[in-house]
Amino acid sequence: MDIENENNLEANNQPEEQQAKEVITKITGMYKDWFLDYASYVILERAVPALEDGFKPVHRRIMQSMKDLDDGRYNKVANIVGHTMQYHPHGDASIGDAMVQLGQKDLLIDTQGNWGNILTGDRAAASRYIEARLSKFAMDVVYNPKITDWQASYDGRRKEPITLPVMFPLLLAQGAEGIAVGLSTKILPHNFIELIEASIKHLQGKRFKLFPDFPTAGIMDVSNYNDGLRGGKLRVRAKISQRDKNTLVINEIPYSTTTSTLIESIIKANEKGKIKVKHIEDNTAENVEILIHLPNNISPDKTIDALYAFTNCEISISPLSCIIIDHKPHFIGVSEILRLSTDHTVQLLKSELEIKLEEFQEQWHFASLERIFIENRIYRDIEEEETWEGVIKAIDRGLQPHISHLKRAITEDDIVRLTEIKIKRISKFDIDKAQQKIDALEDEIAKIRHHLEHLIDYAISYFDNLKKNHGAGRERKTDIRLFEDIEATKVVIRNTKLYVNRKEGFVGTALKRDEYVTDCSDIDDIICFTEDGTMKVTKVDDKTYIGKNIIHVAVFKKKDKRTIYNVIYKDGKAGNSYVKRFAVTSITRDREYSVGKAKPGTKIHYFSANVNGEAEVVTVYLRQMGSIKKLRFEIDFAEILIKGRNSKGNIASKHPIKKVELKEEGVSTLKPRKIWFDETVKRLNVEERGELLGEFKGEDRILLVTQDGLLSTIIPELTTRFDMPYIVMEKWKPKKPVTAVYWEGEKERYYVKRFLVENKDKEENIISDHPKSQLELVSTDHIPVLEIVYRKARGKEQKPNEEINLEEFISIKGIKAQGNQLTTESVTQLNLLEPIASAEDEPEEINELDNAIDDFTQNIQKPDEKSQTKLFDD
C-alpha cells in the first residue's frame, strides 16, 4: 500500500470534525525533487573531481586556505583545517582526512611530522601535532588570482575559487576516487614525468599512451587497462624475490594494499592449506620488507605463484574514469582527460600572457606620459590654475602635442596619476634612465607578443621547464610487464589426502580407513576409471560415488597431453577385445564416459596411466576354447598409435582373454618437448613464445650462469621464475665444457678457466670470492676464440689485437680451479669471436621410434554433448 492510500485510510477512520481540520499533503513530488537535488549535490560538490583543476571541492578549499595562510613557514594542520571551515560546510574530521590524503601524495603539500604510512596503513597523527606548507610545485602551477574565477562561499562571507587555475594534468598525477549517488569514479595515479611528456606529444600532434604508476611500486599488467574506462582492468602484483631456498622477500606491494592486509591474506591462505609458510617477518620501515620463511620441502618458485594465486600479492583494479565537465559528469578515458587538461593549460597560459601584456602596456603608457610630463615641464602649466578642473585641462592641453605615438587615448585617471608625482621625483628625473625603462618594457611587450603568436611552442617550453624543475626523483616506480596466467590447481599446496574404496566405488578425503591414493587439494579434480570401462572426472569432495570396482584414481590435469592411458578391453559381453592408447584433455565434469561403446558387459583386461607417454610390453593369455593353437602373445604399446579417447582402438583378439600380464616396462614414445624462454614474462613455455632453448627429454637440464658468476643447472619446469639477469641460459650438455674469463680482484689480473659441471644439483660460484672479482665473458663452445684489445702504452706503438684459441690456452680443470692468467699487460677490451668449428658441435639427432606419437591432438575427439554443462576447454 502506498503512502497516499495509507493517509486516506487513516483519515476516513477519524471523526468528521478532525477530518475537516487535517490537510493531506502528497510527498511524492517533494521526494523526487529533493532526491535529485541531493544526488546532484553529492556528485558535483563532494565525490567527483573537476576536469579544470583535478580537485574535489574539499581539496580545492584546503588548497585555497593554505594559500591564505602561506608565509613560507609550516602551519599546524589543525589551524589549516579550522581556516578551511570558513569555506567548507562540513566538519573538521572530513577536512583533516582529505588533507592527509593530499599530503600523502607528496606533490602539493610539504609535510612535517607523522603523516601516516601508505605502506603499512598506519594513520597520521592528530592534526594538532602535524604541520604543512605549500610545496614549490604547488606555488608554481596552482595559483594565479588574476585568472581565477571566484564565487561566494556557502555563507556569503568570503570568496572562494570556482576552480583553481592549475596548469598541469594534476587529476591524472594524483588520481581520484569517490562514490556518489548512482555513479562512482576511480582514476588511478600516473607518472609525473610521463604526463608531462604526453602533454608535449599532444601539443606536437604525436600519439601517446598513458599507464598508471603507483607510489607503492610493484608490477602491473596493463594489457586490459582500456585507457582507464569502464570495463578495463589492471592486474597488479607485489615484487617477490628469493633470498635463499627457504626465504622469500616482498619489497614492493600492490597499490591499494598495505603490509598488514597483505600479511593477513598470506596467513589466511596458509590456514586454508593453499600455501605452506613457516613464519612471516614484517621489517617494513621506510621501505617494504616482508620475509616469508618456508619449510624445507617447499618449492620457492611454486610458492611465489601460489602467493599470486591465493593472496593479495596479486589484485585486480577496475578503473572508472568519471569527471565533472561543465557541471556534468562525463565518462572519458585518461588520454582524453590529458588532452583536455593540456588544452586547458594552454588557454590558462594564454590568459596569463594577455594579462601580463596588458600590465606591461599600462606601465609603458604611464612611463611615456611621465617622461612627456616632466621632460616638457608641463607641471608648470598648472601653477596659475585655481580649480581642479582647470588643472586637469591644463595638463591635458600640455600633453596633446606629444602623444601621437601613444597606444591609447589619455584618460582623466592618467592625468590624476601625473598630478600625484612628487616634486622630489621630478627634480631627480633622469631622461636616459626613463628611456631605458621604456625600452625594457617594449622588449617585454615584444617577447609576450611573440609567445602569444607561438603559443604552442611557449606551452611546450613551459612543460619542459616543469619537468626540469620538478621532475627529479619522480621516475616511474611501477614496472610494466605482461603477466602469465597462473593455474591455481598447478600451484596449490596439496593440503589433504585422497582415499578410495575400490570395491564399493567411493573416493574422497573423508575415507581415512580405506586405501590412500595421493595428496591433493580441495580445488582439484580427480579422474577415475572402473572395471566396466567407465571414466569420470569429478571435484574432490569428502565422499563421492564413482562406481563399483574402481581400477584407477588420480588428480586430473586439464589439457594434459603427455599423460597417456594404455588400455585393453572387451567391448561388450560377447564382443572382441581391443587395444587403444589415448589422452584425456577435455571432458564434462561429472559425466560418465566409456573407453569403448558403452555396451553392457564391457570389461577392462589391462589398464595403465603413463605420465610421460611410456609404452610397455604386455603378455596376453587367451582362454582355451575350441581349436585355438596360440594361447599367448605379446602386445607392444609402442606400436599402437595414440588417438582420441572416443576411438574404438585396434583389435587385440577375437577370442576371450584370460588375463594380461606386464612383461617389460616401457619408455616414453612422446617427442622431446621444445621449450622456449619468454623474456617478457621471465618464464619457460611450450607455446613458441620467445627464444627456443632446445628439445628436452625427461632428465635434460638448463644451464644457467648469472653476471655475478653463479652457475647452476635445473630441470625445466614451466612454473620456474627467472627474475635474475642470466648471461647464459641454454640446454645443458654434460660433456660440453664451460669457459669463463674473469677479473681476479685480489691479483688484479684477468684469468681464464675451463671446466665441466660435475654437480648438477648444486649452485656454484665460478669466480673467486674477492669482492672486486668480476665475470667478464662466458662461452659454452667447444673451441672458443678470444680477442684481446691492448691499451696503448705512453710513448710506445699500439700493440696489435691478439686472438687466442682458449682450448689450446688452457685444459679442462675442476670448477673450483683458479685457471690460467690471461695476460700481464693492460687491456681495454675482451671480445669473444666466432668459435672454431668442431665435430662435437654437430646438432644432436633425436632418435624417435618409427611408430612414435602422431600429432594426436588432431585425432582427439571432442565430446559431442550439447546440453551438458561445460567444464574444460580443449
Side-chain angles (χ1 to χ4, degrees):
M1 183 180 294
D2 60 29
I3 297 174
E4 183 178 349
N5 290 335
E6 282 187 0
N7 290 338
N8 290 336
L9 182 60
E10 290 177 5
N12 292 333
N13 292 334
Q14 293 174 354
E16 292 184 4
E17 294 179 2
Q18 188 173 352
Q19 290 183 34
K21 295 179 182 178
E22 292 181 352
V23 178
I24 297 174
T25 303
K26 296 182 180 180
I27 68 170
T28 52
M30 297 169 63
Y31 173 79
K32 181 179 179 181
D33 293 340
W34 289 345
F35 183 79
L36 288 177
D37 291 343
Y38 168 72
S40 175
Y41 170 75
V42 173
I43 292 170
L44 299 178
E45 298 296 329
R46 292 185 67 175
V48 184
L51 168 70
E52 290 80 6
D53 57 7
F55 289 125
K56 297 179 184 180
V58 63
H59 297 135
R60 187 179 301 116
R61 289 159 181 161
I62 289 170
M63 295 303 295
Q64 183 58 40
S65 294
M66 292 190 71
K67 181 63 175 175
D68 293 343
L69 298 172
D70 181 62
D71 59 0
R73 298 181 296 174
Y74 288 100
N75 285 289
K76 289 283 187 183
V77 168
N79 187 23
I80 299 172
V81 170
H83 191 279
T84 306
M85 292 180 71
Q86 299 180 67
Y87 298 111
H88 196 62
H90 294 285
D92 58 341
S94 62
I95 299 172
D97 290 343
M99 186 168 180
V100 168
Q101 291 175 7
L102 273 180
Q104 288 178 340
K105 290 174 180 177
D106 192 27
L107 191 60
L108 300 176
I109 299 178
D110 184 5
T111 61
Q112 184 167 273
N114 177 16
W115 280 67
N117 192 327
I118 60 172
L119 301 177
T120 62
D122 294 336
R123 292 180 59 83
S127 59
R128 60 185 177 275
Y129 299 124
I130 56 178
E131 298 179 325
R133 65 182 177 189
L134 291 171
S135 68
K136 181 67 168 59
F137 173 76
M139 297 296 290
D140 286 349
V141 304
V142 174
Y143 302 103
N144 189 333
K146 296 175 182 178
I147 56 174
T148 302
D149 293 327
W150 303 85
Q151 64 183 0
S153 62
Y154 73 97
D155 60 2
R157 288 187 171 93
R158 300 181 68 88
K159 294 290 184 181
E160 65 171 324
I162 298 174
T163 58
L164 288 166
V166 177
M167 293 186 282
F168 177 78
L170 187 63
L171 175 58
L172 296 180
Q174 295 193 129
E177 189 169 353
I179 301 174
V181 178
L183 59 82
S184 63
T185 186
K186 191 181 185 79
I187 300 172
L188 301 177
H190 293 70
N191 181 261
F192 182 91
I193 296 174
E194 291 175 6
L195 288 174
I196 292 177
E197 291 173 348
S199 293
I200 292 173
K201 286 182 179 179
H202 168 60
L203 294 174
Q204 293 172 339
K206 299 179 181 178
R207 294 182 179 180
F208 62 88
K209 283 188 177 181
L210 287 176
F211 298 115
D213 185 29
F214 304 123
T216 54
I219 314 165
M220 68 176 177
D221 184 338
V222 298
S223 53
N224 295 318
Y225 182 48
N226 194 30
D227 204 35
L229 288 167
R230 183 178 358 201
K233 185 176 74 171
L234 277 180
R235 294 168 62 190
V236 188
R237 288 180 176 176
K239 186 168 283 187
I240 309 175
S241 58
Q242 182 179 340
R243 175 168 292 184
D244 54 54
K245 64 180 181 179
N246 291 329
T247 310
L248 300 177
V249 185
I250 299 177
N251 295 116
E252 298 174 7
I253 61 176
Y255 179 66
S256 77
T257 66
T258 63
T259 55
S260 301
T261 59
L262 195 65
I263 291 172
E264 185 180 348
S265 71
I266 295 172
I267 293 172
K268 286 183 178 179
N270 183 60
E271 290 173 349
K272 292 179 180 178
K274 307 293 186 186
I275 59 176
K276 281 189 179 179
V277 173
K278 198 172 180 181
H279 67 278
I280 302 173
E281 292 181 52
D282 187 5
N283 299 329
T284 302
E286 182 179 355
N287 299 311
V288 172
E289 184 181 80
I290 301 173
L291 301 181
I292 303 174
H293 299 277
L294 307 178
N296 290 330
N297 58 344
I298 296 299
S299 163
D301 284 326
K302 192 172 180 180
T303 302
I304 291 174
D305 280 346
L307 288 170
Y308 289 143
F310 302 114
T311 74
N312 286 348
C313 287
E314 178 180 329
I315 63 170
S316 292
I317 301 176
S318 298
L320 179 57
S321 179
C322 177
I323 59 173
I324 301 300
I325 304 176
D326 295 332
H327 304 288
K328 294 179 182 178
H330 288 74
F331 294 89
I332 60 175
V334 296
S335 298
E336 185 62 19
I337 290 176
L338 182 114
R339 293 187 188 98
L340 294 174
S341 176
T342 303
D343 293 342
H344 180 65
T345 297
V346 172
Q347 292 305 311
L348 290 176
L349 290 171
K350 181 181 179 182
S351 299
E352 192 176 60
L353 287 172
E354 288 174 342
I355 290 172
K356 285 183 179 179
L357 177 62
E358 185 178 346
E359 290 174 347
F360 279 125
Q361 286 177 335
E362 283 299 308
Q363 292 178 35
W364 179 88
H365 180 78
F366 186 74
S368 299
L369 279 181
E370 184 182 57
R371 179 182 174 181
I372 295 170
F373 181 72
I374 298 174
E375 185 179 1
N376 294 285
R377 300 183 179 184
I378 297 174
Y379 52 84
R380 290 184 176 179
D381 297 344
I382 64 175
E383 294 176 355
E384 305 297 329
E385 300 294 334
E386 297 180 355
T387 63
W388 178 250
E389 289 78 6
V391 169
I392 298 298
K393 289 180 180 179
I395 295 175
D396 186 36
R397 285 195 304 271
L399 292 173
Q400 288 303 319
H402 312 287
I403 61 173
S404 59
H405 65 290
L406 297 181
K407 303 293 188 297
R408 67 171 178 84
I410 300 174
T411 65
E412 186 174 338
D413 291 337
D414 294 333
I415 297 174
V416 170
R417 286 185 63 188
L418 291 175
T419 63
E420 295 171 354
I421 299 175
K422 295 181 179 179
I423 297 298
K424 185 177 181 181
R425 184 175 173 188
I426 294 175
S427 63
K428 292 186 176 182
F429 185 76
D430 188 323
I431 295 177
D432 292 334
K433 287 184 178 179
Q435 187 58 46
Q436 289 175 4
K437 179 181 178 181
I438 292 172
D439 292 342
L441 289 171
E442 287 177 349
D443 290 341
E444 290 294 331
I445 290 171
K447 187 185 298 182
I448 293 174
R449 283 177 172 163
H450 179 269
H451 290 332
L452 286 169
E453 292 171 0
H454 303 84
L455 189 59
I456 300 301
D457 293 336
Y458 177 74
I460 291 173
S461 176
Y462 168 81
F463 281 112
D464 278 331
N465 287 330
L466 277 186
K467 180 180 175 180
K468 178 181 177 181
N469 296 332
H470 304 287
R474 300 190 183 276
E475 293 76 16
R476 169 167 284 278
K477 294 182 178 181
T478 305
D479 291 338
I480 298 176
R481 188 183 300 175
L482 185 65
F483 291 171
E484 73 287 356
D485 292 325
I486 298 174
E487 293 186 30
T489 54
K490 290 185 178 180
V491 299
V492 67
I493 296 296
R494 305 303 182 201
N495 56 0
T496 187
K497 298 182 183 298
L498 182 67
Y499 302 89
V500 60
N501 185 325
R502 296 182 184 275
K503 186 176 180 181
E504 298 299 325
F506 288 96
V507 295
T509 58
L511 307 175
K512 296 184 179 179
R513 294 184 179 180
D514 294 307
E515 178 188 345
Y516 165 75
V517 178
T518 184
D519 288 351
C520 65
S521 73
D522 52 9
I523 65 171
D524 279 334
D525 291 291
I526 55 173
I527 185 168
C528 306
F529 289 84
T530 58
E531 191 177 352
D532 63 0
T534 301
M535 177 185 70
K536 187 177 183 179
V537 173
T538 187
K539 289 287 291 183
V540 168
D541 207 341
D542 293 343
K543 185 177 180 180
T544 304
Y545 180 73
I546 300 298
K548 292 188 176 183
N549 300 318
I550 296 173
I551 61 173
H552 176 73
V553 181
V555 174
F556 179 70
K557 299 177 181 178
K558 183 174 66 171
K559 299 181 182 179
D560 182 9
K561 299 178 181 179
R562 297 189 70 83
T563 298
I564 305 300
Y565 300 97
N566 299 339
V567 179
I568 300 175
Y569 72 97
K570 182 176 70 171
D571 187 30
K573 190 173 184 179
N576 298 330
S577 293
Y578 291 85
V579 57
K580 63 186 291 186
R581 301 183 72 201
F582 61 93
V584 180
T585 57
S586 65
I587 205 162
T588 301
R589 187 183 290 127
D590 294 324
R591 176 177 173 177
E592 293 185 350
Y593 295 84
S594 176
V595 298
K597 296 301 178 183
K599 296 178 181 178
T602 297
K603 180 182 178 181
I604 292 181
H605 293 298
Y606 178 84
F607 179 94
S608 68
N610 308 279
V611 295
N612 201 34
E614 291 84 359
E616 64 271 27
V617 179
V618 298
T619 304
V620 179
Y621 296 88
L622 302 179
R623 291 186 182 277
Q624 179 67 54
M625 291 183 66
S627 59
I628 301 176
K629 296 180 180 180
K630 190 176 181 181
L631 297 177
R632 186 182 71 177
F633 61 92
E634 294 177 356
I635 294 179
D636 186 352
F637 278 99
E639 298 174 355
I640 308 300
L641 295 179
I642 299 172
K643 297 186 179 180
R645 59 175 171 76
N646 285 346
S647 66
K648 195 169 186 178
N650 301 338
I651 294 179
S653 175
K654 295 182 179 180
H655 303 289
I657 294 177
K658 181 180 180 181
K659 64 177 180 178
V660 180
E661 292 181 347
L662 176 66
K663 178 184 178 183
E664 183 182 321
E665 294 285 351
V667 296
S668 175
T669 56
L670 300 182
K671 296 178 181 179
R673 284 198 304 177
K674 289 184 177 181
I675 294 181
W676 286 261
F677 175 68
D678 188 343
E679 177 66 30
T680 305
V681 298
K682 310 291 185 183
R683 287 291 187 96
L684 303 176
N685 68 88
V686 293
E687 288 84 27
E688 303 185 15
R689 300 193 310 269
E691 178 186 355
L692 177 64
L693 298 183
E695 295 180 313
F696 290 78
K697 299 178 183 177
E699 296 301 317
D700 287 340
R701 287 174 168 258
I702 296 177
L703 174 67
L704 300 171
V705 182
T706 70
Q707 186 64 62
D708 296 331
L710 295 177
L711 179 146
S712 60
T713 67
I714 64 168
I715 294 175
E717 295 182 2
L718 303 187
T719 57
T720 304
R721 297 185 163 273
F722 297 90
D723 290 328
M724 296 180 65
Y726 293 99
I727 58 175
V728 173
M729 180 187 291
E730 62 182 45
K731 183 178 178 181
W732 175 52
K733 297 178 181 179
K735 295 182 180 180
K736 199 173 183 182
V738 177
T739 305
V741 181
Y742 70 100
W743 173 263
E744 211 293 315
E746 182 178 358
K747 299 183 178 180
E748 297 186 344
R749 290 286 187 272
Y750 285 107
Y751 279 77
V752 180
K753 61 191 295 186
R754 280 167 62 79
F755 56 88
L756 295 175
V757 179
E758 298 172 355
N759 191 340
K760 62 182 181 181
D761 296 316
K762 183 181 179 182
E763 183 180 68
E764 299 188 77
N765 191 354
I766 63 175
I767 61 176
S768 65
D769 294 330
H770 194 276
K772 292 185 179 180
S773 295
Q774 290 183 341
L775 181 63
E776 294 293 329
L777 300 170
V778 177
S779 171
T780 55
D781 296 311
H782 284 285
I783 311 178
V785 178
L786 179 70
E787 179 188 43
I788 304 176
V789 181
Y790 293 102
R791 187 182 303 277
K792 184 179 182 302
R794 181 177 297 177
K796 296 184 180 180
E797 293 185 0
Q798 172 70 51
K799 185 176 181 178
N801 296 352
E802 182 179 1
E803 294 184 8
I804 298 178
N805 181 330
L806 294 180
E807 184 197 37
E808 298 174 350
F809 183 79
I810 182 172
S811 60
I812 295 174
K813 300 180 181 180
I815 194 170
K816 293 297 184 183
Q818 185 179 63
N820 293 353
Q821 184 173 292
L822 181 62
T823 180
T824 58
E825 299 191 40
S826 182
V827 174
T828 60
Q829 195 170 344
L830 298 173
N831 302 314
L832 279 174
L833 303 180
E834 191 72 23
I836 298 173
S838 167
E840 295 172 315
D841 288 327
E842 294 296 324
E844 63 176 339
E845 294 183 2
I846 299 174
N847 295 320
E848 300 177 6
L849 298 175
D850 294 336
N851 57 352
I853 180 174
D854 280 342
D855 188 2
F856 64 88
T857 55
Q858 298 178 2
N859 297 322
I860 291 180
Q861 299 177 18
K862 298 180 182 178
D864 55 358
E865 61 275 16
K866 295 183 180 178
S867 58
Q868 299 288 335
T869 346
K870 181 177 179 188
L871 46 109
F872 307 130
D873 294 328
D874 250 338

